[in-house]
Amino acid sequence: MSAPVRIGASSFLNSRPLLYGLGRGPARERIHIEHTPPSECARRLSEGEIDVGLLPVAAIAQLGLYALPVGCVSSKGRVESVLLVGQTPIDTWKTVALDRSSRTSAILARLLLDARGKSDIRYEVRDPHEAAATATGDRGALLIGDAALELQGRFAYRYDLGEMWTTWTGFPMVFALWATREPVIDPVILADLQEAVEAGKGALSQIALAHAVEQGEADAEPYRRYLSDSLAFELGRKEREGLAEYLRRANAAGLLPPELHFASPMPNRAPQRAGIDAILSRAATGKRISVAEATRLLDEAPLAELGAAADERRSQLHPEGKVTYIVERNINYTNVCTTACRFCAFFRAPGREGGYTLSWDEIGDKLRALKSADGVQVLLQGGINPDLRLPYYEELVRFIKGHGLRLNGFSPEEIHCLAELEETSVEYILQRLMEAGLDSVPGGGAEVLVDRVRSKIARKKATSAEWLEVMRLAHRLGMRASATLMYGVGETSFERALHLSKLRDLQDETGGFTAFICWPYQDGGLKLRGDQQGAGEYLRMLAVSRLTLDNFENLQASWPTMGPTVGQAALHFGANDFGQVMFEENVVSAAGSVFSMDAAGIERHIRDAGFSPVRRDGLYGLLEAA
Ligand code: SF4
């Protein structure tokens, strides 16, 4: 017998009618149910940890997954479990905390607030209980699912988004659908899911009763009314129309792709997909493409056409023909590291020969050399050295800032591990470093933000969620940061595209990234075998990054790893920045060749590529016309 299909869904009361029948009868033999929050469900489905997931509609559209044409969680009008709440009336709100566990409801809230003329409202993304706690004064919060049912009584003002949507459009609101990664679905599983809808609809009283018992409530009637009067589970004609209307309005607001693709039950009748040309022309004008479309560009688009589309997008964002660069210096203050990434030839395990931590004199010499070359910024990164504690880092930051230089320091990996070492929160570490003078955070250590890939690179590496959370917190505290991708470490094209979409999602949320840079894994005969990546592969990855990261302004050309000529070509494949003058580089160069150039060389290469070179500061502000 083949392995059961892994189905992921939240344990919210509103999902239970769709799951009820799957745990009974013959379907139980074919299906294994895993309870997961809706936002986690999207990640798990994308990364292949489950085969089918009950996902927010927005996540399906953004990730380019395939919806299944059976069952849904929708509201007929008033929904009770998707609410905007506050202690003051909605029209007084200046900030709204969005519950991070459903993108569909977060987008719905934005659409409805825009329609009320509240387009200047500020949004923050929070965990459910945190969102509720912030809803005081002129702040509102979005609550969904069981948290909404449980917490709504605490608020003086409650606005039901299902009711607001239906009043506004006349349609039901579809919140969640079954989805898969593939354009086809086993018809037997599809039939199981369809039959489960029928079984669930017939068992609403039992489901409500079971929920009441779990909650310690004596009366199940409110739960039964919620399931039968507020929600609907059949994906009928009206629900499909409501779904189309939601996507149309969200797309017009620049928040979602215009449509959903549905999987077909017949293996030999996959749905028609948009042509590569259509994807390229959409992306070239800054319209959002899905993860599946970005994957297709990586796999199928002709390189020249990809470059032309990325160049068109670059020239829309940077029409003046200027290419920026910065005079900054890498300082790798220690090479002692416990993370032991398999690709890294730079680090030494604690106590091993060759391990170092730079003295203040050595760092001071480097800073003076940088100042005398008109340098403006230090890029500070090092290993995860268990002997260095928070006071050392604060002193290091103050020492560098004392030389009058901007400081871009400590990758999310370093910050995350320091918080673990100090047994405190990442936010506290960031605050202390900021108070000492840290200006921004470099995006090192992202590699590929998919845990299957990260665990191959190093077992001890921070997870992709931890890396993103450090960035989220840094952005919230007001620090800007860069984002990176090191590809060619055994990931699939889909995983590269997924990495880009995770960065894009966080940028939507915070706007805190200044730039993106990608480069290939340098195979210096080390333990991790990745594909050797050529110039064509690099230019393809860069161009797809420019087209997928529609909310990033700046993309750097990675000439130190690819060479100056490929760096020049990169300026025609989406890059608008030529990186930094190279004083030294220790991490990547330890595993492979790294090119080096001074400011005159950089300017000559930019001019020869047909652009005007301009020096910039660490926040991409122009310093002077070179
Ligand atoms: S890449 Fe960084 S975290 Fe990984 S082993 Fe090298 S120094 Fe340590």
Side-chain angles (χ1 to χ4, degrees), residues 240-275:
R240 281 178 179 263
E241 286 172 1
L243 182 61
E245 186 61 19
Y246 170 77
L247 290 167
R248 190 186 68 71
R249 292 184 191 230
N251 181 251
L255 298 170
L256 283 180
E259 57 184 344
L260 275 189
H261 298 294
F262 279 88
S264 157
M266 300 297 290
N268 56 355
R269 281 182 44 207
Q272 284 279 312
R273 297 189 299 178

PDB file of all heavy atoms in Angstrom, residues 240-275:
ATOM      1  N   ARG A 240     -17.188  30.917  -5.706  1.00  0.00           N
ATOM      2  CA  ARG A 240     -16.174  31.150  -6.748  1.00  0.00           C
ATOM      3  C   ARG A 240     -16.225  32.597  -7.241  1.00  0.00           C
ATOM      4  O   ARG A 240     -15.188  33.213  -7.485  1.00  0.00           O
ATOM      5  CB  ARG A 240     -16.384  30.199  -7.936  1.00  0.00           C
ATOM      6  CG  ARG A 240     -15.845  28.799  -7.679  1.00  0.00           C
ATOM      7  CD  ARG A 240     -16.138  27.921  -8.893  1.00  0.00           C
ATOM      8  NE  ARG A 240     -15.641  26.589  -8.718  1.00  0.00           N
ATOM      9  CZ  ARG A 240     -14.476  26.150  -9.182  1.00  0.00           C
ATOM     10  NH1 ARG A 240     -13.675  26.961  -9.845  1.00  0.00           N
ATOM     11  NH2 ARG A 240     -14.096  24.902  -9.003  1.00  0.00           N
ATOM     12  N   GLU A 241     -17.425  33.142  -7.365  1.00  0.00           N
ATOM     13  CA  GLU A 241     -17.545  34.547  -7.798  1.00  0.00           C
ATOM     14  C   GLU A 241     -16.947  35.480  -6.738  1.00  0.00           C
ATOM     15  O   GLU A 241     -16.264  36.454  -7.049  1.00  0.00           O
ATOM     16  CB  GLU A 241     -19.014  34.904  -8.057  1.00  0.00           C
ATOM     17  CG  GLU A 241     -19.539  34.303  -9.348  1.00  0.00           C
ATOM     18  CD  GLU A 241     -21.059  34.503  -9.506  1.00  0.00           C
ATOM     19  OE1 GLU A 241     -21.694  35.123  -8.627  1.00  0.00           O
ATOM     20  OE2 GLU A 241     -21.577  34.006 -10.507  1.00  0.00           O
ATOM     21  N   GLY A 242     -17.229  35.156  -5.465  1.00  0.00           N
ATOM     22  CA  GLY A 242     -16.680  35.965  -4.370  1.00  0.00           C
ATOM     23  C   GLY A 242     -15.153  35.902  -4.351  1.00  0.00           C
ATOM     24  O   GLY A 242     -14.470  36.908  -4.130  1.00  0.00           O
ATOM     25  N   LEU A 243     -14.642  34.702  -4.618  1.00  0.00           N
ATOM     26  CA  LEU A 243     -13.188  34.496  -4.656  1.00  0.00           C
ATOM     27  C   LEU A 243     -12.565  35.349  -5.771  1.00  0.00           C
ATOM     28  O   LEU A 243     -11.555  36.037  -5.569  1.00  0.00           O
ATOM     29  CB  LEU A 243     -12.934  33.004  -4.914  1.00  0.00           C
ATOM     30  CG  LEU A 243     -11.522  32.494  -4.959  1.00  0.00           C
ATOM     31  CD1 LEU A 243     -10.827  32.732  -3.631  1.00  0.00           C
ATOM     32  CD2 LEU A 243     -11.533  30.990  -5.281  1.00  0.00           C
ATOM     33  N   ALA A 244     -13.188  35.299  -6.949  1.00  0.00           N
ATOM     34  CA  ALA A 244     -12.674  36.069  -8.096  1.00  0.00           C
ATOM     35  C   ALA A 244     -12.704  37.566  -7.783  1.00  0.00           C
ATOM     36  O   ALA A 244     -11.768  38.312  -8.119  1.00  0.00           O
ATOM     37  CB  ALA A 244     -13.486  35.755  -9.342  1.00  0.00           C
ATOM     38  N   GLU A 245     -13.761  38.000  -7.112  1.00  0.00           N
ATOM     39  CA  GLU A 245     -13.893  39.429  -6.792  1.00  0.00           C
ATOM     40  C   GLU A 245     -12.819  39.866  -5.781  1.00  0.00           C
ATOM     41  O   GLU A 245     -12.228  40.941  -5.901  1.00  0.00           O
ATOM     42  CB  GLU A 245     -15.300  39.685  -6.228  1.00  0.00           C
ATOM     43  CG  GLU A 245     -15.647  41.137  -5.989  1.00  0.00           C
ATOM     44  CD  GLU A 245     -15.611  41.979  -7.263  1.00  0.00           C
ATOM     45  OE1 GLU A 245     -15.668  41.425  -8.371  1.00  0.00           O
ATOM     46  OE2 GLU A 245     -15.476  43.211  -7.119  1.00  0.00           O
ATOM     47  N   TYR A 246     -12.577  39.003  -4.803  1.00  0.00           N
ATOM     48  CA  TYR A 246     -11.535  39.306  -3.805  1.00  0.00           C
ATOM     49  C   TYR A 246     -10.166  39.436  -4.492  1.00  0.00           C
ATOM     50  O   TYR A 246      -9.416  40.387  -4.252  1.00  0.00           O
ATOM     51  CB  TYR A 246     -11.519  38.193  -2.761  1.00  0.00           C
ATOM     52  CG  TYR A 246     -10.346  38.232  -1.803  1.00  0.00           C
ATOM     53  CD1 TYR A 246     -10.315  39.135  -0.742  1.00  0.00           C
ATOM     54  CD2 TYR A 246      -9.268  37.359  -1.962  1.00  0.00           C
ATOM     55  CE1 TYR A 246      -9.239  39.170   0.141  1.00  0.00           C
ATOM     56  CE2 TYR A 246      -8.187  37.386  -1.089  1.00  0.00           C
ATOM     57  CZ  TYR A 246      -8.177  38.290  -0.038  1.00  0.00           C
ATOM     58  OH  TYR A 246      -7.103  38.317   0.829  1.00  0.00           O
ATOM     59  N   LEU A 247      -9.857  38.468  -5.375  1.00  0.00           N
ATOM     60  CA  LEU A 247      -8.554  38.508  -6.057  1.00  0.00           C
ATOM     61  C   LEU A 247      -8.469  39.734  -6.961  1.00  0.00           C
ATOM     62  O   LEU A 247      -7.420  40.372  -7.060  1.00  0.00           O
ATOM     63  CB  LEU A 247      -8.343  37.224  -6.872  1.00  0.00           C
ATOM     64  CG  LEU A 247      -8.114  35.972  -6.021  1.00  0.00           C
ATOM     65  CD1 LEU A 247      -8.238  34.719  -6.869  1.00  0.00           C
ATOM     66  CD2 LEU A 247      -6.735  36.007  -5.356  1.00  0.00           C
ATOM     67  N   ARG A 248      -9.584  40.082  -7.609  1.00  0.00           N
ATOM     68  CA  ARG A 248      -9.574  41.245  -8.505  1.00  0.00           C
ATOM     69  C   ARG A 248      -9.272  42.519  -7.699  1.00  0.00           C
ATOM     70  O   ARG A 248      -8.409  43.310  -8.070  1.00  0.00           O
ATOM     71  CB  ARG A 248     -10.930  41.368  -9.209  1.00  0.00           C
ATOM     72  CG  ARG A 248     -10.958  42.387 -10.338  1.00  0.00           C
ATOM     73  CD  ARG A 248     -12.347  42.566 -10.908  1.00  0.00           C
ATOM     74  NE  ARG A 248     -13.272  43.204  -9.990  1.00  0.00           N
ATOM     75  CZ  ARG A 248     -13.229  44.499  -9.633  1.00  0.00           C
ATOM     76  NH1 ARG A 248     -12.298  45.275 -10.123  1.00  0.00           N
ATOM     77  NH2 ARG A 248     -14.104  44.993  -8.777  1.00  0.00           N
ATOM     78  N   ARG A 249      -9.941  42.666  -6.565  1.00  0.00           N
ATOM     79  CA  ARG A 249      -9.731  43.892  -5.775  1.00  0.00           C
ATOM     80  C   ARG A 249      -8.340  43.909  -5.136  1.00  0.00           C
ATOM     81  O   ARG A 249      -7.693  44.954  -5.072  1.00  0.00           O
ATOM     82  CB  ARG A 249     -10.822  44.033  -4.704  1.00  0.00           C
ATOM     83  CG  ARG A 249     -12.186  44.293  -5.345  1.00  0.00           C
ATOM     84  CD  ARG A 249     -13.271  44.529  -4.313  1.00  0.00           C
ATOM     85  NE  ARG A 249     -14.581  44.519  -4.961  1.00  0.00           N
ATOM     86  CZ  ARG A 249     -15.512  45.442  -4.804  1.00  0.00           C
ATOM     87  NH1 ARG A 249     -15.298  46.448  -4.009  1.00  0.00           N
ATOM     88  NH2 ARG A 249     -16.665  45.344  -5.431  1.00  0.00           N
ATOM     89  N   ALA A 250      -7.882  42.743  -4.657  1.00  0.00           N
ATOM     90  CA  ALA A 250      -6.541  42.695  -4.043  1.00  0.00           C
ATOM     91  C   ALA A 250      -5.475  42.946  -5.103  1.00  0.00           C
ATOM     92  O   ALA A 250      -4.461  43.595  -4.840  1.00  0.00           O
ATOM     93  CB  ALA A 250      -6.321  41.345  -3.378  1.00  0.00           C
ATOM     94  N   ASN A 251      -5.707  42.458  -6.316  1.00  0.00           N
ATOM     95  CA  ASN A 251      -4.736  42.691  -7.392  1.00  0.00           C
ATOM     96  C   ASN A 251      -4.696  44.166  -7.780  1.00  0.00           C
ATOM     97  O   ASN A 251      -3.625  44.741  -7.992  1.00  0.00           O
ATOM     98  CB  ASN A 251      -5.092  41.811  -8.602  1.00  0.00           C
ATOM     99  CG  ASN A 251      -4.095  42.002  -9.718  1.00  0.00           C
ATOM    100  OD1 ASN A 251      -4.404  42.600 -10.746  1.00  0.00           O
ATOM    101  ND2 ASN A 251      -2.889  41.519  -9.524  1.00  0.00           N
ATOM    102  N   ALA A 252      -5.883  44.795  -7.851  1.00  0.00           N
ATOM    103  CA  ALA A 252      -5.934  46.221  -8.186  1.00  0.00           C
ATOM    104  C   ALA A 252      -5.182  47.045  -7.138  1.00  0.00           C
ATOM    105  O   ALA A 252      -4.591  48.080  -7.449  1.00  0.00           O
ATOM    106  CB  ALA A 252      -7.383  46.681  -8.286  1.00  0.00           C
ATOM    107  N   ALA A 253      -5.162  46.554  -5.891  1.00  0.00           N
ATOM    108  CA  ALA A 253      -4.433  47.269  -4.828  1.00  0.00           C
ATOM    109  C   ALA A 253      -2.964  46.859  -4.785  1.00  0.00           C
ATOM    110  O   ALA A 253      -2.220  47.283  -3.898  1.00  0.00           O
ATOM    111  CB  ALA A 253      -5.092  46.984  -3.481  1.00  0.00           C
ATOM    112  N   GLY A 254      -2.548  45.994  -5.724  1.00  0.00           N
ATOM    113  CA  GLY A 254      -1.140  45.586  -5.789  1.00  0.00           C
ATOM    114  C   GLY A 254      -0.762  44.586  -4.708  1.00  0.00           C
ATOM    115  O   GLY A 254       0.413  44.427  -4.388  1.00  0.00           O
ATOM    116  N   LEU A 255      -1.754  43.860  -4.161  1.00  0.00           N
ATOM    117  CA  LEU A 255      -1.463  42.978  -3.028  1.00  0.00           C
ATOM    118  C   LEU A 255      -1.402  41.498  -3.392  1.00  0.00           C
ATOM    119  O   LEU A 255      -0.801  40.714  -2.668  1.00  0.00           O
ATOM    120  CB  LEU A 255      -2.522  43.181  -1.929  1.00  0.00           C
ATOM    121  CG  LEU A 255      -2.584  44.595  -1.330  1.00  0.00           C
ATOM    122  CD1 LEU A 255      -3.805  44.746  -0.436  1.00  0.00           C
ATOM    123  CD2 LEU A 255      -1.314  44.887  -0.548  1.00  0.00           C
ATOM    124  N   LEU A 256      -2.033  41.112  -4.508  1.00  0.00           N
ATOM    125  CA  LEU A 256      -2.063  39.694  -4.868  1.00  0.00           C
ATOM    126  C   LEU A 256      -2.037  39.526  -6.391  1.00  0.00           C
ATOM    127  O   LEU A 256      -2.460  40.440  -7.113  1.00  0.00           O
ATOM    128  CB  LEU A 256      -3.355  39.036  -4.350  1.00  0.00           C
ATOM    129  CG  LEU A 256      -3.459  38.692  -2.875  1.00  0.00           C
ATOM    130  CD1 LEU A 256      -4.806  38.056  -2.587  1.00  0.00           C
ATOM    131  CD2 LEU A 256      -2.343  37.765  -2.433  1.00  0.00           C
ATOM    132  N   PRO A 257      -1.601  38.351  -6.885  1.00  0.00           N
ATOM    133  CA  PRO A 257      -1.759  38.066  -8.311  1.00  0.00           C
ATOM    134  C   PRO A 257      -3.250  38.046  -8.669  1.00  0.00           C
ATOM    135  O   PRO A 257      -4.099  37.863  -7.784  1.00  0.00           O
ATOM    136  CB  PRO A 257      -1.153  36.674  -8.476  1.00  0.00           C
ATOM    137  CG  PRO A 257      -0.343  36.449  -7.253  1.00  0.00           C
ATOM    138  CD  PRO A 257      -0.954  37.265  -6.165  1.00  0.00           C
ATOM    139  N   PRO A 258      -3.583  38.209  -9.970  1.00  0.00           N
ATOM    140  CA  PRO A 258      -4.991  38.379 -10.321  1.00  0.00           C
ATOM    141  C   PRO A 258      -5.849  37.124 -10.220  1.00  0.00           C
ATOM    142  O   PRO A 258      -7.066  37.220 -10.162  1.00  0.00           O
ATOM    143  CB  PRO A 258      -4.931  38.857 -11.771  1.00  0.00           C
ATOM    144  CG  PRO A 258      -3.610  38.404 -12.276  1.00  0.00           C
ATOM    145  CD  PRO A 258      -2.684  38.371 -11.109  1.00  0.00           C
ATOM    146  N   GLU A 259      -5.233  35.936 -10.226  1.00  0.00           N
ATOM    147  CA  GLU A 259      -6.102  34.745 -10.220  1.00  0.00           C
ATOM    148  C   GLU A 259      -5.432  33.578  -9.514  1.00  0.00           C
ATOM    149  O   GLU A 259      -4.228  33.576  -9.292  1.00  0.00           O
ATOM    150  CB  GLU A 259      -6.455  34.344 -11.655  1.00  0.00           C
ATOM    151  CG  GLU A 259      -5.239  34.087 -12.496  1.00  0.00           C
ATOM    152  CD  GLU A 259      -5.580  33.794 -13.944  1.00  0.00           C
ATOM    153  OE1 GLU A 259      -6.746  33.498 -14.228  1.00  0.00           O
ATOM    154  OE2 GLU A 259      -4.660  33.834 -14.764  1.00  0.00           O
ATOM    155  N   LEU A 260      -6.266  32.569  -9.233  1.00  0.00           N
ATOM    156  CA  LEU A 260      -5.778  31.314  -8.653  1.00  0.00           C
ATOM    157  C   LEU A 260      -5.796  30.253  -9.730  1.00  0.00           C
ATOM    158  O   LEU A 260      -6.687  30.229 -10.576  1.00  0.00           O
ATOM    159  CB  LEU A 260      -6.758  30.827  -7.593  1.00  0.00           C
ATOM    160  CG  LEU A 260      -6.669  31.340  -6.176  1.00  0.00           C
ATOM    161  CD1 LEU A 260      -7.623  30.517  -5.321  1.00  0.00           C
ATOM    162  CD2 LEU A 260      -5.275  31.197  -5.657  1.00  0.00           C
ATOM    163  N   HIS A 261      -4.830  29.330  -9.680  1.00  0.00           N
ATOM    164  CA  HIS A 261      -4.886  28.168 -10.567  1.00  0.00           C
ATOM    165  C   HIS A 261      -5.471  27.003  -9.774  1.00  0.00           C
ATOM    166  O   HIS A 261      -5.131  26.814  -8.609  1.00  0.00           O
ATOM    167  CB  HIS A 261      -3.495  27.816 -11.074  1.00  0.00           C
ATOM    168  CG  HIS A 261      -2.879  28.921 -11.874  1.00  0.00           C
ATOM    169  ND1 HIS A 261      -3.395  29.320 -13.081  1.00  0.00           N
ATOM    170  CD2 HIS A 261      -1.821  29.727 -11.623  1.00  0.00           C
ATOM    171  CE1 HIS A 261      -2.670  30.326 -13.551  1.00  0.00           C
ATOM    172  NE2 HIS A 261      -1.718  30.601 -12.682  1.00  0.00           N
ATOM    173  N   PHE A 262      -6.334  26.243 -10.451  1.00  0.00           N
ATOM    174  CA  PHE A 262      -6.912  25.067  -9.799  1.00  0.00           C
ATOM    175  C   PHE A 262      -6.246  23.804 -10.342  1.00  0.00           C
ATOM    176  O   PHE A 262      -5.959  23.709 -11.536  1.00  0.00           O
ATOM    177  CB  PHE A 262      -8.421  25.005 -10.044  1.00  0.00           C
ATOM    178  CG  PHE A 262      -9.179  25.910  -9.112  1.00  0.00           C
ATOM    179  CD1 PHE A 262      -9.405  27.235  -9.443  1.00  0.00           C
ATOM    180  CD2 PHE A 262      -9.626  25.448  -7.882  1.00  0.00           C
ATOM    181  CE1 PHE A 262     -10.074  28.081  -8.578  1.00  0.00           C
ATOM    182  CE2 PHE A 262     -10.300  26.286  -7.002  1.00  0.00           C
ATOM    183  CZ  PHE A 262     -10.521  27.599  -7.350  1.00  0.00           C
ATOM    184  N   ALA A 263      -5.986  22.850  -9.456  1.00  0.00           N
ATOM    185  CA  ALA A 263      -5.421  21.573  -9.892  1.00  0.00           C
ATOM    186  C   ALA A 263      -6.497  20.756 -10.599  1.00  0.00           C
ATOM    187  O   ALA A 263      -7.686  20.896 -10.322  1.00  0.00           O
ATOM    188  CB  ALA A 263      -4.895  20.805  -8.690  1.00  0.00           C
ATOM    189  N   SER A 264      -6.023  19.910 -11.520  1.00  0.00           N
ATOM    190  CA  SER A 264      -6.948  19.054 -12.263  1.00  0.00           C
ATOM    191  C   SER A 264      -6.894  17.644 -11.690  1.00  0.00           C
ATOM    192  O   SER A 264      -5.826  17.162 -11.318  1.00  0.00           O
ATOM    193  CB  SER A 264      -6.526  19.047 -13.729  1.00  0.00           C
ATOM    194  OG  SER A 264      -7.014  17.893 -14.344  1.00  0.00           O
ATOM    195  N   PRO A 265      -8.048  16.947 -11.642  1.00  0.00           N
ATOM    196  CA  PRO A 265      -8.021  15.584 -11.119  1.00  0.00           C
ATOM    197  C   PRO A 265      -7.442  14.569 -12.100  1.00  0.00           C
ATOM    198  O   PRO A 265      -7.143  13.448 -11.727  1.00  0.00           O
ATOM    199  CB  PRO A 265      -9.495  15.278 -10.849  1.00  0.00           C
ATOM    200  CG  PRO A 265     -10.251  16.211 -11.724  1.00  0.00           C
ATOM    201  CD  PRO A 265      -9.401  17.413 -11.924  1.00  0.00           C
ATOM    202  N   MET A 266      -7.290  14.929 -13.377  1.00  0.00           N
ATOM    203  CA  MET A 266      -6.790  13.963 -14.355  1.00  0.00           C
ATOM    204  C   MET A 266      -5.295  14.185 -14.578  1.00  0.00           C
ATOM    205  O   MET A 266      -4.902  15.246 -15.033  1.00  0.00           O
ATOM    206  CB  MET A 266      -7.511  14.130 -15.697  1.00  0.00           C
ATOM    207  CG  MET A 266      -9.010  13.910 -15.590  1.00  0.00           C
ATOM    208  SD  MET A 266      -9.400  12.231 -15.097  1.00  0.00           S
ATOM    209  CE  MET A 266      -8.931  11.335 -16.559  1.00  0.00           C
ATOM    210  N   PRO A 267      -4.460  13.161 -14.295  1.00  0.00           N
ATOM    211  CA  PRO A 267      -3.024  13.355 -14.418  1.00  0.00           C
ATOM    212  C   PRO A 267      -2.594  13.828 -15.800  1.00  0.00           C
ATOM    213  O   PRO A 267      -1.599  14.498 -15.947  1.00  0.00           O
ATOM    214  CB  PRO A 267      -2.437  11.975 -14.128  1.00  0.00           C
ATOM    215  CG  PRO A 267      -3.501  11.251 -13.396  1.00  0.00           C
ATOM    216  CD  PRO A 267      -4.814  11.832 -13.818  1.00  0.00           C
ATOM    217  N   ASN A 268      -3.330  13.434 -16.847  1.00  0.00           N
ATOM    218  CA  ASN A 268      -2.908  13.833 -18.188  1.00  0.00           C
ATOM    219  C   ASN A 268      -3.620  15.089 -18.685  1.00  0.00           C
ATOM    220  O   ASN A 268      -3.597  15.385 -19.862  1.00  0.00           O
ATOM    221  CB  ASN A 268      -3.128  12.690 -19.184  1.00  0.00           C
ATOM    222  CG  ASN A 268      -4.577  12.247 -19.161  1.00  0.00           C
ATOM    223  OD1 ASN A 268      -5.350  12.742 -18.346  1.00  0.00           O
ATOM    224  ND2 ASN A 268      -4.924  11.324 -20.040  1.00  0.00           N
ATOM    225  N   ARG A 269      -4.303  15.775 -17.777  1.00  0.00           N
ATOM    226  CA  ARG A 269      -4.961  17.001 -18.228  1.00  0.00           C
ATOM    227  C   ARG A 269      -4.630  18.151 -17.277  1.00  0.00           C
ATOM    228  O   ARG A 269      -5.471  18.697 -16.599  1.00  0.00           O
ATOM    229  CB  ARG A 269      -6.469  16.783 -18.306  1.00  0.00           C
ATOM    230  CG  ARG A 269      -6.857  16.035 -19.571  1.00  0.00           C
ATOM    231  CD  ARG A 269      -8.339  15.859 -19.686  1.00  0.00           C
ATOM    232  NE  ARG A 269      -9.088  17.043 -19.351  1.00  0.00           N
ATOM    233  CZ  ARG A 269     -10.324  17.009 -18.879  1.00  0.00           C
ATOM    234  NH1 ARG A 269     -10.908  15.868 -18.661  1.00  0.00           N
ATOM    235  NH2 ARG A 269     -10.967  18.120 -18.624  1.00  0.00           N
ATOM    236  N   ALA A 270      -3.341  18.477 -17.237  1.00  0.00           N
ATOM    237  CA  ALA A 270      -2.913  19.600 -16.400  1.00  0.00           C
ATOM    238  C   ALA A 270      -3.505  20.887 -16.946  1.00  0.00           C
ATOM    239  O   ALA A 270      -3.660  21.022 -18.154  1.00  0.00           O
ATOM    240  CB  ALA A 270      -1.399  19.693 -16.416  1.00  0.00           C
ATOM    241  N   PRO A 271      -3.858  21.825 -16.064  1.00  0.00           N
ATOM    242  CA  PRO A 271      -4.439  23.069 -16.558  1.00  0.00           C
ATOM    243  C   PRO A 271      -3.440  23.859 -17.399  1.00  0.00           C
ATOM    244  O   PRO A 271      -2.237  23.749 -17.204  1.00  0.00           O
ATOM    245  CB  PRO A 271      -4.773  23.828 -15.276  1.00  0.00           C
ATOM    246  CG  PRO A 271      -3.989  23.162 -14.196  1.00  0.00           C
ATOM    247  CD  PRO A 271      -3.707  21.783 -14.630  1.00  0.00           C
ATOM    248  N   GLN A 272      -3.979  24.648 -18.302  1.00  0.00           N
ATOM    249  CA  GLN A 272      -3.140  25.507 -19.136  1.00  0.00           C
ATOM    250  C   GLN A 272      -2.389  26.491 -18.258  1.00  0.00           C
ATOM    251  O   GLN A 272      -2.951  27.078 -17.342  1.00  0.00           O
ATOM    252  CB  GLN A 272      -4.039  26.309 -20.076  1.00  0.00           C
ATOM    253  CG  GLN A 272      -4.566  25.497 -21.237  1.00  0.00           C
ATOM    254  CD  GLN A 272      -3.523  25.385 -22.329  1.00  0.00           C
ATOM    255  OE1 GLN A 272      -2.942  26.375 -22.707  1.00  0.00           O
ATOM    256  NE2 GLN A 272      -3.283  24.178 -22.793  1.00  0.00           N
ATOM    257  N   ARG A 273      -1.111  26.667 -18.520  1.00  0.00           N
ATOM    258  CA  ARG A 273      -0.352  27.632 -17.734  1.00  0.00           C
ATOM    259  C   ARG A 273      -0.036  28.846 -18.596  1.00  0.00           C
ATOM    260  O   ARG A 273       0.088  28.746 -19.813  1.00  0.00           O
ATOM    261  CB  ARG A 273       0.949  27.001 -17.260  1.00  0.00           C
ATOM    262  CG  ARG A 273       0.700  25.834 -16.348  1.00  0.00           C
ATOM    263  CD  ARG A 273       1.946  25.338 -15.719  1.00  0.00           C
ATOM    264  NE  ARG A 273       2.915  24.865 -16.697  1.00  0.00           N
ATOM    265  CZ  ARG A 273       4.108  24.408 -16.367  1.00  0.00           C
ATOM    266  NH1 ARG A 273       4.483  24.395 -15.119  1.00  0.00           N
ATOM    267  NH2 ARG A 273       4.936  23.976 -17.284  1.00  0.00           N
ATOM    268  N   ALA A 274       0.144  29.973 -17.910  1.00  0.00           N
ATOM    269  CA  ALA A 274       0.502  31.181 -18.652  1.00  0.00           C
ATOM    270  C   ALA A 274       1.839  30.960 -19.344  1.00  0.00           C
ATOM    271  O   ALA A 274       2.713  30.278 -18.824  1.00  0.00           O
ATOM    272  CB  ALA A 274       0.607  32.342 -17.683  1.00  0.00           C
ATOM    273  N   GLY A 275       2.017  31.523 -20.543  1.00  0.00           N
ATOM    274  CA  GLY A 275       3.268  31.378 -21.264  1.00  0.00           C
ATOM    275  C   GLY A 275       4.362  32.181 -20.585  1.00  0.00           C
ATOM    276  O   GLY A 275       4.091  33.124 -19.830  1.00  0.00           O
TER     277      GLY A 275
END
